[in-house]
């Protein structure tokens, strides 16, 4: 290996990370099955929550990880026309209620002025914004359930 090739290997920059999956919150199975959010169920009282160290109901510290429902209902939403850098406007953010009595703040996929409260949505993966290299960052969001 020549001196120039060695220098190229040493100076090779890290590939940009364009995937933003929080491993404690989202599972993307490698076998191609559908992704899902992960919850923690208290082994003592059954309270379900997102990643936590102590149960908010009984203060237990023992949990089991469970898959959460992929579907939920829009509790509230906002169409946003002036956004932060990296987010193409307009876009939609919402609180989505899951059947496990959890409410999550998420980005919705689709056009503004097309959602309504209590509308059923489902989990999907897709670009949520652009990184500093103008590459899409992929994460979870929700979309309307196809008819």
């Amino acid at each position: 290996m020549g001196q120039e090739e060695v220098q190229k290997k040493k100076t090779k920059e890290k590939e940009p990370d364009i995937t933003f999956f929080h491993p404690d919150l989202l599972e993307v199975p490698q076998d191609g099955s559908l992704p899902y959010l992960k919850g923690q169920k208290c082994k003592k009282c059954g309270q379900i929550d997102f990643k936590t160290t102590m149960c908010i109901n009984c203060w237990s510290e023992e949990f089991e990880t469970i898959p959460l429902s992929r579907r939920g209902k829009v509790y509230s939403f906002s169409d946003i026309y002036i956004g932060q850098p990296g987010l193409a406007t307009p876009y939609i953010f919402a609180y989505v209620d899951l059947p496990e009595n959890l409410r999550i703040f998420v980005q919705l996929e689709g056009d503004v002025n097309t959602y309504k409260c209590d509308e059923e949505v489902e989990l999907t993966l897709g670009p949520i914004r652009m990184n500093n290299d103008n590459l899409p960052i992929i994460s979870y969001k929700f979309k309307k359930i196809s008819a």
Side-chain angles (χ1 to χ4, degrees):
M1 184 180 305
Q3 183 71 17
E4 192 172 297
E5 289 180 67
V6 171
Q7 186 63 29
K8 274 186 177 179
K9 278 192 165 189
K10 286 183 178 177
T11 58
K12 183 178 178 184
E13 293 184 24
K14 180 183 170 195
E15 295 290 324
D17 184 8
I18 58 172
T19 303
F20 180 66
F21 294 153
H22 194 292
D24 292 332
L25 186 60
L26 178 69
E27 183 71 33
V28 182
Q30 297 298 314
D31 65 2
S33 55
L34 295 173
Y36 58 88
L37 295 173
K38 297 191 286 188
Q40 290 193 307
K41 184 176 181 180
C42 176
K43 289 184 175 180
K44 186 175 179 184
C45 72
Q47 173 75 31
I48 299 173
D49 209 334
F50 290 110
K51 179 74 176 164
T52 184
T53 57
M54 183 179 294
C55 178
I56 60 170
N57 190 45
C58 70
W59 297 14
S60 171
E61 295 178 358
E62 294 185 42
F63 299 93
E64 65 176 310
T65 301
I66 61 167
L68 298 175
S69 300
R70 293 181 33 79
R71 291 185 172 193
K73 283 188 177 183
V74 173
Y75 171 77
S76 176
F77 68 95
S78 183
D79 294 334
I80 300 169
Y81 293 91
I82 300 173
Q84 66 184 44
L87 280 168
T89 55
Y91 55 89
I92 312 159
F93 269 103
Y95 283 106
V96 170
D97 288 341
L98 299 178
E100 293 85 359
N101 199 28
L102 292 173
R103 183 170 289 157
I104 186 166
F105 187 65
V106 296
Q107 187 174 6
L108 296 179
E109 184 175 287
D111 297 324
V112 295
N113 296 318
T114 60
Y115 279 91
K116 57 186 178 197
C117 292
D118 290 330
E119 187 164 22
E120 289 198 50
V121 291
E122 66 181 351
L123 180 77
T124 188
L125 300 178
I128 58 168
R129 69 177 182 91
M130 305 303 273
N131 70 10
N132 290 337
D133 298 322
N134 206 30
L135 297 171
I137 296 176
I138 307 298
S139 190
Y140 63 91
K141 54 187 182 178
F142 280 74
K143 66 178 183 179
K144 291 184 178 199
I145 293 175
S146 302

